[in-house]
Amino acid sequence: MPAIVNVDVEGPLISRHLYGHFAEHLGRCVYGGFYVGEDSDIPNAGGIRLDVVEALRALNIPNLRWPGGCFADEYHWMDGVGPKDRRPAMVNTHWGNVEENNHFGT
């Protein structure tokens, strides 16, 4: 039986937020990438690099999900809130067993 696909028929609108992007703890994507800390000489707001924010705006992505990828399997959002010096550190077993100090935060 042949199938017919009508591409000019209006259908439901799918939110562009379903097709956002994600950031992963791969290499220096977060620490040294998005996040350099408040005391960095690199221009930042709350430790987040302003040049990275502008680059993401230029891409016109609908949202950036963090954590993304495998790291999200172990991350608990509550570990990334509150004063930075009181946030629990964890070991990121997905990317080289490096310590995640949770300073980037939720």
Side-chain angles (χ1 to χ4, degrees):
M1 175 191 281
I4 298 173
V5 178
N6 294 312
V7 295
D8 60 344
V9 176
E10 289 189 33
L13 179 64
I14 299 173
S15 171
R16 65 190 294 257
H17 293 283
L18 291 176
Y19 300 106
H21 300 325
F22 71 89
E24 179 139 27
H25 272 277
L26 180 59
R28 292 180 39 177
C29 180
V30 175
Y31 296 103
F34 293 144
Y35 184 82
V36 291
E38 292 90 346
D39 298 330
S40 175
D41 290 336
I42 298 171
N44 69 81
I48 298 172
R49 290 175 57 158
L50 296 177
D51 59 342
V52 172
V53 171
E54 289 305 314
L56 291 172
R57 282 188 179 135
L59 291 173
N60 198 29
I61 62 174
N63 55 57
L64 179 70
R65 188 182 79 242
W66 186 91
C70 299
F71 182 66
D73 294 345
E74 296 178 352
Y75 184 75
H76 194 288
W77 69 271
M78 289 183 65
D79 291 345
V81 297
K84 291 179 184 174
D85 61 345
R86 300 187 69 198
R87 295 178 189 170
M90 64 177 281
V91 175
N92 182 348
T93 61
H94 291 287
W95 296 113
N97 292 322
V98 295
E99 182 180 285
E100 160 61 62
N101 62 20
N102 283 309
H103 286 185
F104 181 60
T106 304

